[in-house]
Amino acid sequence: MKFKVSAELGYDVRSSSTIVLNIHALRTAHQTILSESLTISPAIDAEELTNITTENRFVRLDIPEPGNYNIRYEAVVDNCFEVRSYAEYSETPLGSIDAGVFVYLNPSRYCQSDKLYRLAENTFGKIKGNYNKVVAITRWIHQNVEYLSGFSNSETSAYDTVTQQAGVCRDFAHLGIALCRALTIPARYFTGYSYMLIPQDFHACFEAYIGNQWLLFDATRLAPLNGLVKIATGRDAADAAIASIFGNVFSINTKASCEMFENEPFVPVYYPPSVYDAYTYS
Amino acid sequence: MKFKVSAELGYDVRSSSTIVLNIHALRTAHQTILSESLTISPAIDAEELTNITTENRFVRLDIPEPGNYNIRYEAVVDNCFEVRSYAEYSETPLGSIDAGVFVYLNPSRYCQSDKLYRLAENTFGKIKGNYNKVVAITRWIHQNVEYLSGFSNSETSAYDTVTQQAGVCRDFAHLGIALCRALTIPARYFTGYSYMLIPQDFHACFEAYIGNQWLLFDATRLAPLNGLVKIATGRDAADAAIASIFGNVFSINTKASCEMFENEPFVPVYYPPSVYDAYTYS
Amino acid sequence: MKFKVSAELGYDVRSSSTIVLNIHALRTAHQTILSESLTISPAIDAEELTNITTENRFVRLDIPEPGNYNIRYEAVVDNCFEVRSYAEYSETPLGSIDAGVFVYLNPSRYCQSDKLYRLAENTFGKIKGNYNKVVAITRWIHQNVEYLSGFSNSETSAYDTVTQQAGVCRDFAHLGIALCRALTIPARYFTGYSYMLIPQDFHACFEAYIGNQWLLFDATRLAPLNGLVKIATGRDAADAAIASIFGNVFSINTKASCEMFENEPFVPVYYPPSVYDAYTYS
Amino acid sequence: MKFKVSAELGYDVRSSSTIVLNIHALRTAHQTILSESLTISPAIDAEELTNITTENRFVRLDIPEPGNYNIRYEAVVDNCFEVRSYAEYSETPLGSIDAGVFVYLNPSRYCQSDKLYRLAENTFGKIKGNYNKVVAITRWIHQNVEYLSGFSNSETSAYDTVTQQAGVCRDFAHLGIALCRALTIPARYFTGYSYMLIPQDFHACFEAYIGNQWLLFDATRLAPLNGLVKIATGRDAADAAIASIFGNVFSINTKASCEMFENEPFVPVYYPPSVYDAYTYS
């Protein structure tokens, strides 16, 4: 499936500043970038950086002069979303998890899994199998947390959302991650462009590590899983900010869109058509 | 300088469990392991894992049977601690920081730098130069936070310690890291064996990234910087736990020691002999 | 029913200090003090104070000299515990609540009801009747929170316990209070001596205001409701500390006991024998 | 000095609801209400309630029908603001504080003094005299906390503001109260109408109990102390909300104003003209 994604960001830069953007589509085995462009006006140099561990692609703008800056990213991305039978996913014994995956068991800024052990164990501990546990977590979040713009803020964490029961996609993802880690299931944050998300915006959800694979889960159920174009993964939103700003800069505009590139038939896959299927998106 | 380090850990394992230890001395350009041994009794297999990003060395024990387990690690490590003139360290412009280092600017579980921006800016913002800022942070923590065993617990974070003003080495390190990141200075957690630390135990301090180098800082001032044998680095204590336990396991014993291997002359270097020197330990 | 209660407190006073004790049995319409004595050794003056709003009885000790001080309080208290049919309790419309009771709707230090609105509404909002809501809250806490000495500390609040799901009687009470207030049911903290509590100690539970009465609830289910001798009420534990210490004082001993004064037949009433009975204890 | 104060509140009531207002000027020895009126349109009954402890005056509106409701309160108040020499205020020994005042030493929802002991002691502990301590606290807050609308929210507490260093009058007051209590100085929240406050609005500051008097302090320095018309006091903002809403109600308008009733000469008194004067306002 080919998607055309775009992001448009506007900044009022008041003094020489650095902005690190994380809006480029990721290159993965299942996601190929057919074309892409980044336009900055007025023109300044942009350096692309790649985190060798996560392969997240950053662009660093060192902006010497104050002014209004507009950034436009466009890409055509070919995605190969796999739906596989859950039967293919045997459990991953803790003993066979890679050292690189282990860090996704650790608590992080917005996912304080160390404070959620009892709640996670009491609520999901008796469910057999990690896949079923994550399905149950996702459903529980969907049932208990209301999607409510403006309720949460940049400091809101899973520890807040578990009780306050409202938030946006970022909060849904953080709570899912924290509950997984509390059950010794590695989990990480996912950001992307999202086809059919209304209104169009960047989207966030999470991946859990099951059967030696990162599987995608979205407790918001607001967007089809097979319409996501991956931008980045990280421990939580702290690692995958769309823009990290260092300096006296005001954001004046943020837009993202994702549409079909060609007129292909698209059957939206919402999670879960049945609890026996898992969605790999890696 | 050659040190002989040892760790002794005892566990009462009540059911089949996994323990991941992070007690092995790190291999770095400045730290060579001359010999080491790991003894587990009763004997079970231990798999060594290395995180390719941090190079932290983990040992995973999959313990099939309940029982009392004792783990003893011993190593002889040759350390080459460099004291360099601060004049050698020019500032690192944000624009020249590696993508791999950028993550150490992000807030983490115990180092919520996003909540400390104003305090950090108001307190240290006018000091010229990142090195001087970190020296000032270290001194400020030393003056304002009391070393007090038992005051803090495993949930205590920099956001608590900044106000509650007491804690142990871990808390001192977290606060240092959080303040650095709030000032856009990458910082990370450091664990190690510590010569002349009284009483003998594992020690924690922090590193700040200045002049394209990780420099070591210890706000506790309890141990000479040139007597540290590095075990691990990470975003905070969540990444560098001595032991991560998965299962029904009780810790019954934890000891660490560090002594001179040969009768070498040792001049303890405490931070800072003068504010104009920096200590590299990488 | 006549109970003999006693408290014994020991302090190591290092400098001239003030200690305010709140260990005297309260005088209420249903609780008569037949005899009581307070012995302080070495002897110092003690001033009794009564808060005119709550009628809590405080004793203030101004201790001029360092030393070891022992305080012993003994009382014989005649209690008249009423079990009434729930049918007697009509709902209290908000509009008929006294101004003095309104403050027990406000969030307090350990009962941040303002952060629990959604959880309370989502979990208990559909239950008809305030009495039934509080019964359900009490049962929910009993089912979800484990009684675990040493898990919580003096800073632990309802916002922590709701997620961390473990604590002592104080934490059970705080969570009950916070959930009631979040549902617009006035609630307050209750401390007392407790017959048949094992091991013997001071006990804490909570009262909810229903049908123009304060009714007693105890989510721990550790002690019979009709074996409680009331000491104090307050917004939360901050108002009803057994001892408030101002100065350089170390607590070396705290004991409380409650036994039958005469050989009366005692039928322990645990909450609830049936959900249709309410227990007034005022 | 005679002030004319007015408040105008508008609500969109979606279902039958109760609103408890706390906008009436308080009657005190130093504040006489010459005239006042409360107009509700459309007309509904309003019941005035007075908390016997704090003497705060509440008005309860039981609104049976949905609709838009406008409330207008107007009063002419004669105030007698006293400036007295600090020399008149001897210290209040803890031993002579009333039981009713003791509760203002306890931590409360927004003023977690129990978490600020060390910071308060380390920062202000060596200052001689409670009056001087509170002056220093007020100055410290003024210097370290920036007045910034929109930075804080209804959950923000003194524990946040002490580190995050920005907020509105409510946050300044909470921090002042928490620091006082941490130093064993009773302190309480004050709300009022405020002459010369720009823009015109309700104002909040705090009172500390010194020399058996409640003295007024305002760390914002935004309004003259002798231009305040007292509405309420309480442990913190939880006790002194302008409006407490129970039901499905949206606030659509909140205005407050305070002007001179007659053309009297007014010499604004800002705190402190000198550190040796104290302002009583009770």
Side-chain angles (χ1 to χ4, degrees), chain C:
Chain C
M1 196 72 63
K2 296 192 186 69
F3 294 102
K4 188 184 161 204
V5 302
S6 68
E8 199 166 327
L9 307 168
Y11 293 103
D12 171 6
V13 176
R14 305 270 173 96
S15 65
S16 72
S17 301
T18 294
I19 299 176
V20 178
L21 300 174
N22 191 5
I23 56 176
H24 280 58
L26 206 53
R27 293 188 180 98
T28 75
H30 301 85
Q31 184 168 294
T32 307
I33 295 166
L34 302 180
S35 69
E36 67 177 0
S37 67
L38 184 74
T39 318
I40 304 159
S41 83
I44 51 167
D45 286 345
E47 183 182 9
E48 190 177 332
L49 308 166
T50 301
N51 183 308
I52 54 161
T53 318
T54 58
E55 302 191 332
N56 292 347
R57 300 169 66 200
F58 298 96
V59 164
R60 184 169 52 210
L61 310 180
D62 290 306
I63 306 179
E65 298 290 324
N68 272 11
Y69 288 82
N70 280 282
I71 295 137
R72 185 167 177 85
Y73 172 74
E74 287 189 355
V76 177
V77 179
D78 194 359
N79 254 357
C80 151
F81 184 81
E82 293 178 70
V83 178
R84 297 202 202 151
S85 155
Y86 171 55
E88 295 178 38
Y89 297 98
S90 56
E91 294 300 308
T92 320
L94 207 60
S96 69
I97 291 177
D98 281 353
V101 172
F102 256 109
V103 296
Y104 295 103
L105 287 172
N106 295 342
S108 62
R109 168 67 182 89
Y110 297 108
C111 306
Q112 304 98 325
S113 44
D114 57 306
K115 294 176 138 192
L116 298 175
Y117 282 131
R118 288 175 164 274
L119 180 134
E121 193 59 33
N122 291 347
T123 311
F124 308 105
K126 287 190 182 126
I127 297 169
K128 291 286 170 211
N130 284 351
Y131 175 77
N132 292 329
K133 280 177 179 162
V134 186
V135 168
I137 286 170
T138 306
R139 188 185 298 125
W140 186 86
I141 294 171
H142 184 75
Q143 287 168 348
N144 287 285
V145 181
E146 184 180 353
Y147 193 96
L148 205 54
S149 285
F151 184 87
S152 56
N153 60 43
S154 66
E155 290 183 1
T156 304
S157 70
Y159 193 62
D160 299 310
T161 305
V162 71
T163 294
Q164 302 212 25
Q165 305 196 335
V168 294
C169 57
R170 158 190 167 116
D171 304 303
F172 281 66
H174 284 155
L175 183 49
I177 294 165
L179 289 169
C180 286
R181 292 181 190 165
L183 295 166
T184 320
I185 303 168
R188 68 186 184 186
Y189 192 77
F190 171 111
T191 56
Y193 296 93
S194 175
Y195 181 55
M196 291 177 63
L197 179 69
I198 300 170
Q200 279 284 287
D201 201 350
F202 294 103
H203 193 47
C205 47
F206 74 101
E207 293 180 330
Y209 194 75
I210 297 168
N212 283 317
Q213 298 254 9
W214 286 105
L215 303 191
L216 187 68
F217 295 86
D218 182 357
T220 70
R221 300 193 190 172
L222 290 176
L225 292 170
N226 56 343
L228 286 163
V229 171
K230 195 174 198 165
I231 295 173
T233 58
R235 299 201 188 180
D236 60 25
D239 280 2
I242 296 305
S244 302
I245 289 171
F246 306 99
N248 192 6
V249 175
F250 292 79
S251 171
I252 49 182
N253 184 30
T254 301
K255 278 188 203 160
S257 73
C258 180
E259 46 194 86
M260 299 289 289
F261 181 60
E262 291 161 341
N263 220 346
E264 292 176 273
F266 179 77
V267 182
V269 176
Y270 286 91
Y271 177 85
S274 104
V275 294
Y276 301 109
D277 295 339
Y279 309 102
T280 314
Y281 198 76
S282 47

